[in-house]
Amino acid sequence: MSSHTGKFGEYGGQYVPEALMPAIEELDDAYERYVLENEDGFMDDFRERLADFGGRPTPLQKAHRLSDRYDRDVYLKREDLLHGGAHKLNNALGQVLLAKYMGKDRIIAETGAGQHGTATAMACAHLGMPCEVYMGRRDINRQRPNVFRMRLNGAAITPVTVGRGTLKEAISETMRDWATNVEDTHYVIGSVVGPHPFPSMVRDFQRVISEEAREQMIEKAGRLPDSVLTCAGGGSNTMGLFAEFVPDEDVDLYAVEAGGSSLEVDEAEGVAPNSATLSTGTEGVLHGSRTRVLQDRDGQIMESHSVSSGLDYAGVGPELADLVDRGRVTAVNVADDPALEGFHRLSQLEGIIPALESAHAVAYVEENHEDLGEVILLNISGRGDKDLETVLEETHDRDIENAPEMETFAETGGF
Amino acid sequence: MSRISDAFADGPAFVPYLAAGDPNYEASLSYVEALERGGADIIELGLPFSEPIAEGPTIQSAIVRSLEGGMTPPRFFEFVADLDVDVPLVCMTYYNLIYQFGEGTERGPEAFVRRAAEVGIEGFVVPDLPAEEAAPLREACDAHDCELVFIVAPTTKGERLERIMSQVSGYVYVQARLGTTGARTDLSDRTEESLARIAEWDVPKAVGFGISSGDHAQRVIEAGADGVIVGSALVDIIAQGVERGDPPVTVANRLESKARELKQGALRGAPPSNEQPHPERT
């Protein structure tokens, strides 16, 4: 890991407007002092809040019925049980607290599925910071419960209508706000993307997932897992889950991306009907860092697609891209339909309704368990409450085999 | 001296910006040419990128129109070659397009700058490329006698100023205010402060971000700038034309007269000089 240079092989760096560079240098300095060196007891404060406010540690649960189905041991890291219902709070709380230590007095954030926005709004309410969240118009429509939750926690929501109105556009818009108000505002980036130090810093706030999971595996299974899997959009839960396992060469790491409806791209329309950046993207520069991106041959960024808005992003964290290039992490992908099946399977077999993001990883295990060894660790990055309307609509439209009867709900127009 | 630095030699320079291909190829050619008639000394041509994080809504919309009209990097270079103007041209774009340009092992800044220089581009402004990451583009510019213009923001201080000073050529783009591009009705009072910080630099200082009238241009030059950069106020004229369905010739005339207003404003702001009586353009 090279957190001090901000480079991961050829990836990483700082590609941002000059107006932001001083703020990024200031943040880098704060990251080194507070996060890496625990100045003023910052990390102790952070960990205490994660425990008391966040509900950490989250459990590692043996999934008995999945284990029986696949005839191997499947363990679930239950990030869905973190306060707010997803791993996102680890990072949001870390960054809002850091902003407070830095003396900033306003927080901005962008959100795709709404989980990061929700986590940031919660952290801001907890720490008494004003918060504005940029969200694509299309995502606002897809994720109404999260929009309401953000409002309840006192955040202002600003709809982004340019482009297709998803995460990519929301990030650009938040960067513009930051460039205007950089002197008193901190931008809480929601994933391990963006200019250095964000990819390293967000990984370090999310690292708690693998610190706990590694210890819990040894405690519960008496050994490390053969394979560790989780979904990958921007890659924050992915890097959080992998970080402590990277040195364990015998543990296989799988980043499961959203294969959407197809891995083919429509260059003429500038649309990739997937969000499988690690599997199909090429090296480029997006939102402040050099990484793998979905782009056309000229370098224009493509619109991505996934049934899960949290994975719907044309870029990915530079460190994760490097780990894939080096062969340490295997990038795989799962299409929308099997992801929906995975959603229903975990709901039915384990009584856990997973986020559609996490359902991609669940689905990968269904198809490939024979190649994943005897002990499998699967991260449930978030819970699926936010996705119920999407699942209702998509399941109804697509005829998903293992889905329950949805007709009654579909006819009454949802919930 | 390059033609770009020469443009600042005879009094304040007026440096307009347009997104190439906005709203379409043919009209855009005539709009750029109109700017020269109106008194442009250097023209910044935007090569549109899908994620223009440094731009405000006006230029972002221009970029969307241009992309929807089919603008691509190869097409941009044809556009530049088709232009009938004598003033030096600067390409303003984002790094990913530079990074992706070309074929196979030839891809990247060298291929991009070589092609740009062939069609007559003499300088570059890349708003998402800070001095720290600029070495490959700097080398390519040196190899093809092109200038690399850097932006100095109101937040740029201390060591960062030194770092930029060691890299900048052609002119320095002084960002008059924080935020993104966009025409404003007021003028930032941070302009003088920004100019004072780089007063010793041996390179012309052109101020941009928010200048929308001849009066603004005059005040920026009075504050000590060597030139004014104007984008959104001109792009607004194109947007208005699109909205009202005006014929391109009408829009071109409006652009020419707005350019003249800005150039005259800049000239009014220049200190009186015996050798350089204000040339009156008509």
Side-chain angles (χ1 to χ4, degrees):
Chain A
M1 312 261 166
S2 52
S3 60
H4 292 269
T5 65
K7 292 280 162 82
F8 305 98
E10 289 295 300
Y11 299 125
Q14 298 170 316
Y15 296 84
V16 291
E18 174 56 32
L20 291 178
M21 284 302 291
I24 283 171
E25 287 180 346
E26 183 192 350
L27 181 63
D28 193 20
D29 177 61
Y31 163 59
E32 300 232 350
R33 289 193 290 123
Y34 294 120
V35 180
L36 299 181
E37 292 161 23
N38 194 27
E39 190 174 305
D40 299 343
F42 171 83
M43 285 303 282
D44 305 317
D45 188 356
F46 171 52
R47 281 171 193 278
E48 195 176 316
R49 289 173 194 275
L50 268 185
D52 296 348
F53 175 64
R56 296 213 78 93
T58 59
L60 180 81
Q61 177 201 348
K62 183 160 182 192
H64 290 285
R65 293 186 69 196
L66 278 187
S67 296
D68 288 348
R69 180 178 176 89
Y70 303 134
D71 193 24
R72 56 207 67 220
D73 293 339
V74 179
Y75 289 87
L76 306 177
K77 180 61 175 163
R78 297 289 308 277
E79 288 299 294
D80 59 312
L81 292 180
L82 188 66
H83 178 43
H87 70 288
K88 292 289 186 184
L89 181 68
N90 301 324
N91 169 49
L93 186 62
Q95 284 197 50
V96 176
L97 189 62
L98 186 64
K100 198 141 182 125
Y101 274 59
M102 290 169 71
K104 301 283 175 185
D105 51 28
R106 174 177 175 253
I107 293 292
I108 53 172
E110 92 297 314
T111 195
Q115 288 299 89
H116 172 59
T118 301
T120 306
M122 290 185 324
C124 285
H126 171 67
L127 290 161
M129 287 276 248
C131 177
E132 181 167 353
V133 179
Y134 289 86
M135 190 168 184
R137 168 60 67 193
R138 180 183 157 92
D139 285 337
I140 288 178
N141 294 337
R142 287 201 282 188
Q143 302 290 350
R144 285 169 47 225
N146 270 339
V147 176
F148 188 44
R149 289 205 291 173
M150 286 183 263
R151 293 289 298 134
L152 290 176
N153 284 132
I157 316 291
T158 305
V160 178
T161 52
V162 292
R164 238 176 85 246
T166 59
L167 183 57
K168 171 169 88 73
E169 290 82 12
I171 292 181
S172 294
E173 202 57 38
T174 318
M175 286 209 163
R176 292 189 185 102
D177 180 318
W178 200 26
T180 310
N181 302 295
V182 64
E183 287 161 308
D184 63 2
T185 297
H186 176 69
Y187 172 13
V188 181
I189 290 188
S191 193
V192 287
V193 302
H196 175 71
F198 283 104
S200 300
M201 183 176 70
V202 175
R203 173 203 65 210
D204 287 347
F205 288 139
Q206 292 291 357
R207 181 188 290 275
V208 64
I209 303 173
S210 52
E211 282 170 356
E212 287 174 10
R214 199 173 180 284
E215 211 169 280
Q216 290 165 325
M217 280 304 303
I218 291 168
E219 203 174 287
K220 291 218 161 171
R223 54 164 291 189
L224 293 179
D226 293 309
S227 42
V228 172
L229 298 96
T230 192
C231 60
S236 72
N237 93 88
T238 331
M239 281 312 305
L241 180 70
F242 290 173
E244 294 289 314
F245 289 106
V246 166
D248 300 317
E249 297 285 341
D250 292 339
V251 177
D252 294 333
L253 306 175
Y254 291 88
V256 186
E257 297 194 287
S261 55
S262 163
L263 290 184
E264 302 293 316
V265 300
D266 185 342
E267 281 250 352
E269 290 294 314
V271 174
N274 61 72
S275 306
T277 314
L278 292 165
S279 312
T280 68
T282 52
E283 193 181 343
V285 176
L286 174 63
H287 293 142
S289 81
R290 183 185 293 194
T291 185
R292 294 259 207 115
V293 298
L294 297 175
Q295 58 188 331
D296 68 15
R297 52 164 297 123
D298 290 328
Q300 304 292 0
I301 307 304
M302 297 227 186
E303 297 292 348
S304 57
H305 162 81
S306 168
V307 68
S308 142
S309 30
L311 301 180
D312 196 350
Y313 179 54
V316 69
E319 183 175 14
L320 190 52
D322 181 53
L323 287 169
V324 169
D325 277 9
R326 289 198 282 123
R328 181 64 193 96
V329 170
T330 306
V332 296
N333 58 79
V334 161
D336 287 343
D337 282 10
L340 285 161
E341 286 173 27
F343 176 94
H344 292 299
R345 187 168 301 112
L346 196 71
S347 303
Q348 289 157 15
L349 292 187
E350 298 291 346
I352 299 168
I353 299 175
L356 271 174
E357 290 82 355
S358 316
H360 285 74
V362 174
Y364 188 79
V365 178
E366 171 79 8
E367 294 290 317
N368 301 278
H369 54 267
E370 286 179 0
D371 304 325
L372 298 175
E374 293 303 310
V375 180
I376 298 170
L377 168 61
L378 180 59
N379 193 35
I380 304 303
S381 59
R383 67 179 189 215
D385 305 45
K386 68 184 171 64
D387 294 319
L388 298 183
E389 292 213 34
T390 305
V391 169
L392 170 58
E393 196 178 300
E394 299 285 340
T395 301
H396 188 64
D397 291 350
R398 288 168 195 253
D399 189 26
I400 302 298
E401 250 175 52
N402 64 349
E405 229 283 62
M406 298 271 188
E407 209 61 43
T408 329
F409 297 105
E411 276 168 9
T412 56
F415 305 100
Chain B
M1 286 250 289
S2 71
R3 294 205 327 138
I4 289 181
S5 1
D6 279 350
F8 292 87
D10 302 328
F14 165 52
V15 187
Y17 163 98
L18 286 183
D22 170 27
N24 62 60
Y25 192 94
E26 290 302 325
S28 184
L29 282 173
S30 73
Y31 296 166
V32 176
E33 288 160 6
L35 296 178
E36 188 187 38
R37 289 196 300 278
D41 298 290
I42 296 171
I43 298 174
E44 289 185 356
L45 284 177
L47 162 56
F49 177 52
S50 56
E51 317 301 313
I53 56 175
E55 318 296 350
T58 304
I59 290 177
Q60 192 187 9
S61 303
I63 282 170
V64 170
R65 287 192 295 268
S66 169
L67 286 172
E68 283 175 353
M71 185 50 74
T72 64
R75 191 101 174 104
F76 174 81
F77 292 130
E78 286 169 31
F79 180 90
V80 176
D82 284 348
L83 272 176
D84 182 16
V85 294
D86 286 331
V87 297
L89 300 172
V90 169
C91 166
M92 183 158 183
T93 193
Y94 286 76
Y95 194 56
N96 199 45
L97 298 188
I98 296 175
Y99 190 64
Q100 303 300 332
F101 187 79
E103 298 292 334
T105 54
E106 296 273 285
R107 278 169 98 87
E110 214 283 325
F112 185 88
V113 175
R114 188 183 344 121
R115 179 74 184 121
E118 270 170 25
V119 294
I121 295 282
E122 295 175 59
F124 301 88
V125 186
V126 187
D128 66 341
L129 189 70
E132 285 78 356
E133 309 282 357
L137 185 60
R138 171 84 267 167
E139 271 173 44
C141 285
D142 290 346
H144 296 278
D145 291 327
C146 287
E147 312 281 15
L148 186 51
V149 175
F150 281 90
I151 296 172
V152 167
T155 45
T156 313
K157 291 178 180 118
E159 273 179 31
R160 293 206 54 75
L161 282 172
E162 304 291 315
R163 214 172 290 158
I164 294 170
M165 188 178 73
S166 69
Q167 292 241 28
V168 73
S169 62
Y171 54 95
V172 57
Y173 189 140
V174 181
Q175 184 179 330
R177 63 178 72 232
L178 282 175
T180 52
T181 55
R184 308 296 208 285
T185 49
D186 63 323
L187 199 61
S188 170
D189 52 10
R190 298 179 84 161
T191 306
E192 285 188 42
E193 188 198 313
S194 297
L195 283 168
R197 280 208 304 277
I198 58 166
E200 302 304 308
W201 291 22
D202 186 22
V203 59
K205 292 129 193 118
V207 172
F209 275 51
I211 297 168
S212 65
S213 67
D215 176 44
H216 286 171
Q218 177 180 346
R219 279 153 57 200
V220 164
I221 297 300
E222 280 168 355
D226 302 301
V228 292
I229 304 172
V230 182
S232 298
L234 298 163
V235 170
D236 273 336
I237 292 172
I238 298 178
Q240 233 176 48
V242 169
E243 207 174 298
R244 296 180 188 159
D246 293 332
V249 63
T250 311
V251 176
N253 287 338
R254 283 187 202 128
L255 283 168
E256 183 182 336
S257 98
K258 186 72 182 176
R260 188 164 292 119
E261 172 199 331
L262 291 157
K263 171 71 182 180
Q264 293 304 323
L267 290 172
R268 278 198 308 276
S273 147
N274 293 332
E275 299 92 60
Q276 297 289 336
H278 291 172
E280 286 297 324
R281 284 174 182 265
T282 49

